[in-house]
Amino acid sequence: MEKTSLPQKPLFKDALKFWFKLGWISFGGTAGHIALMHDFLVDKKKWISNSRFFHALSLCMLLPGPEAQQLAIYIGWQLHGKKGGLIAGILFVLPSMFILLALSIIYVSYGNLPWIYTMFNGLKPAVIAIIIIALFKVGQKALHSLLHYIIAAIAFVCIFFYNISLPAIIAGTIVLALIIRYVKPSLLNIANKQDDNKYDNEQDYYINSVSTVPGTGSSIKQFLKQLATFCIFWLIPFLLFYLFSHDHLFWKGLILFFTQTAFFTIGGSYTVLPYVAQFAVTKLNWLSKMQMVDGFALAETTPGPLIIVVGFVGFMAAYNHFHASLWMGSIGLIATTFYTFLPCFLFIFAGGPIIEKTHGNALISAILTLVTAAVVGVILNLTFFLGKDIVFPGGVLLKNLNIVSLGCICVSLLLMIKFRVNVVYLILLSLLFGLARYFVSA
């Protein structure tokens, strides 16, 4: 029976239960996370209206970091202030971190067993298919004009042939957008399709179109206070590594690398993962290309944002650097997760109110569309970077073509596109296929 009285502020314990549950069931990537939150927060509990929910989502998409987690932080903040935002953001990622830690330990401890090794080989083509699907999904949203396609192509050429870093590509795209704006602004006049949707019954929701968002009137003093708090939390583990670690230089490199990547994740996880994959494998030699693919597979089997795969990279980096130490690998995973997701809270608590005031700015929107187009080229590079050694294990020659791997990629694409098989089920099917191959060939 639906209530007709004015909506009351939800109890903190009720919100806590939801955020805790969400952390364990949020499979299916960003779309799945958003669907779960919308179903519960908007449709079932009426804690936030449709208009406010999607306004918050659009704000989070303007910020670096995984937008689903930041949406959780943002709504938690609106509902119960800073403590609500902290709880929502932490519980969103904590379960997936612990699950990935357990899977990483199993991976390095038993991954060399023939039957487990064969199972992981069965996963690799499915991971490439998942990345291809992501490429098309991002492409559909990002490529609307010839200019967008040109930007995507330039980004691909820069990273694939010249190994130019992701931050440089993003910075270059922004500069190019500003030049185009000055030389020929008509090219950037892409119609910003603004929803004219009229949302009825706003008064039925606790947070609605006329609600005041906490902190939107933030001052410079408040911003500096938030920034100082972030810096303190950032420095504490850094100093602990400096004081108690025998190899501070390694931890310094890991911390600085993942802090940097956290500031360049505009457009979702697939924006930064190509950069992490290529840099961690080819430049830092923290793990092999095949281990990176395995890390993608492990991350896909956990709830939470896909960017949690960076935790596996941190685990392998420390595990390999400290001579197969599970303890150091575990610290590496936790440190990587901490420094990857810590900036999300800064972006929402300090940057959110500022960004919200610029929401709808035509120039900013145009620049972001070009940045997202560049991301498509970066994801295409990731597909080639990880996929070529799976399809052509002995080099890109026709005689080296692995028919089984190519067939598995095609079947995985068919299952996801035609039959809409969930990613988790696809991973399980791929594991079973790999296991079956082991027993058939044994």
Side-chain angles (χ1 to χ4, degrees):
M1 187 169 67
E2 292 187 358
K3 295 181 180 180
T4 56
S5 58
L6 290 174
Q8 299 295 314
K9 181 177 181 178
L11 296 175
F12 180 70
K13 66 176 184 179
D14 292 334
L16 180 62
K17 288 178 184 177
F18 170 70
W19 298 124
F20 178 79
K21 179 182 178 183
L22 180 68
W24 292 99
I25 65 170
S26 55
F27 293 95
T30 300
H33 306 157
I34 293 169
L36 285 169
M37 283 190 276
H38 187 273
D39 179 62
F40 186 86
L41 298 169
V42 179
D43 295 336
K44 291 181 179 178
K45 291 296 184 178
K46 295 186 180 295
W47 288 352
I48 182 170
S49 71
N50 215 37
S51 63
R52 289 303 301 162
F53 181 90
F54 285 107
H55 176 74
L57 177 60
S58 64
L59 164 65
C60 293
M61 292 181 72
L62 292 174
L63 298 169
E67 56 262 38
Q69 191 216 14
Q70 290 182 333
L71 179 62
I73 297 172
Y74 195 91
I75 294 175
W77 179 33
Q78 289 180 321
L79 291 173
H80 297 104
K82 293 274 174 44
K83 71 173 182 179
L86 286 170
I87 290 295
I90 292 170
L91 292 180
F92 189 85
V93 74
L94 210 58
S96 58
M97 185 192 78
F98 285 122
I99 293 171
L100 186 61
L101 175 58
L103 291 174
S104 299
I105 292 172
I106 293 170
Y107 175 81
V108 296
S109 299
Y110 305 104
N112 289 328
L113 294 177
W115 63 276
I116 292 183
Y117 178 79
T118 309
M119 286 175 68
F120 274 107
N121 276 341
L123 274 177
K124 290 179 173 65
V127 171
I128 300 305
I130 291 167
I131 295 173
I132 292 172
I133 293 293
L135 172 66
F136 279 99
K137 284 183 177 179
V138 175
Q140 285 178 333
K141 294 179 181 178
L143 306 179
H144 303 298
S145 69
L146 178 60
L147 178 61
H148 289 129
Y149 281 96
I150 292 172
I151 294 294
I154 292 172
F156 172 75
V157 170
C158 286
I159 195 168
F160 186 81
F161 292 104
Y162 299 101
N163 205 24
I164 296 174
S165 68
L166 174 65
I169 290 173
I170 291 178
T173 303
I174 293 172
V175 170
L176 180 61
L178 293 173
I179 292 172
I180 294 172
R181 174 76 173 179
Y182 179 77
V183 175
K184 195 168 184 180
S186 60
L187 288 175
L188 291 182
N189 290 336
I190 302 159
N192 291 323
K193 296 179 180 178
Q194 305 234 344
D195 288 328
D196 249 348
N197 300 331
K198 295 180 180 178
Y199 300 102
D200 298 322
N201 303 319
E202 287 281 332
Q203 69 277 7
D204 293 342
Y205 298 86
Y206 173 67
I207 297 173
N208 52 54
S209 59
V210 296
S211 298
T212 302
V213 179
T216 49
S218 61
S219 63
I220 296 296
K221 183 179 178 181
Q222 287 175 308
F223 174 78
L224 292 176
K225 183 179 178 180
Q226 299 283 2
L227 186 60
T229 303
F230 166 81
C231 291
I232 290 169
F233 276 102
W234 189 92
L235 279 170
I236 289 172
F238 188 88
L239 292 175
L240 289 174
F241 281 122
Y242 180 79
L243 294 172
F244 299 107
S245 171
H246 297 297
D247 192 346
H248 172 64
L249 287 177
F250 168 79
W251 295 111
K252 176 185 175 182
L254 183 139
I255 289 169
L256 292 177
F257 176 72
F258 285 109
T259 299
Q260 173 187 291
T261 60
F263 283 86
F264 287 94
T265 55
I266 296 173
S269 300
Y270 279 103
T271 308
V272 74
L273 289 179
Y275 170 60
V276 172
Q278 195 156 357
F279 206 88
V281 171
T282 60
K283 295 281 184 70
L284 300 171
N285 297 312
W286 280 346
L287 71 172
S288 71
K289 194 179 293 186
M290 289 300 101
Q291 286 174 335
M292 189 70 212
V293 176
D294 292 337
F296 272 98
L298 293 178
E300 289 284 4
T301 62
T302 67
L306 178 60
I307 199 175
I308 195 65
V309 71
V310 299
F312 177 80
V313 176
F315 179 93
M316 294 304 301
Y319 177 82
N320 292 328
H321 184 80
F322 292 101
H323 312 293
S325 169
L326 290 176
W327 174 244
M328 288 294 106
S330 301
I331 293 176
L333 184 145
I334 294 168
T336 299
T337 304
F338 177 81
Y339 281 104
T340 299
F341 290 97
L342 179 64
C344 293
F345 296 93
L346 174 67
F347 296 143
I348 293 298
F349 293 151
I354 297 172
I355 297 295
E356 186 171 89
K357 291 176 182 178
T358 65
H359 186 64
N361 182 286
L363 177 59
I364 291 175
S365 298
I367 291 174
L368 285 173
T369 61
L370 295 191
V371 170
T372 310
V375 168
V376 177
V378 175
I379 300 174
L380 179 60
N381 168 72
L382 176 68
T383 309
F384 281 101
F385 178 71
L386 296 178
K388 64 182 180 182
D389 287 343
I390 295 171
V391 179
F392 297 98
V396 186
L397 295 171
L398 189 59
K399 65 177 182 179
N400 295 326
L401 177 65
N402 188 322
I403 298 294
V404 175
S405 293
L406 181 61
C408 288
I409 292 173
C410 294
V411 170
S412 298
L413 289 171
L414 179 67
L415 290 173
M416 286 190 289
I417 297 171
K418 181 72 174 177
F419 300 100
R420 300 189 180 278
V421 172
N422 186 280
V423 168
V424 177
Y425 293 139
L426 179 66
I427 294 292
L428 292 175
L429 284 172
S430 301
L431 285 170
L432 290 173
F433 175 74
L435 191 60
R437 284 191 69 190
Y438 170 75
F439 285 115
V440 168
S441 59

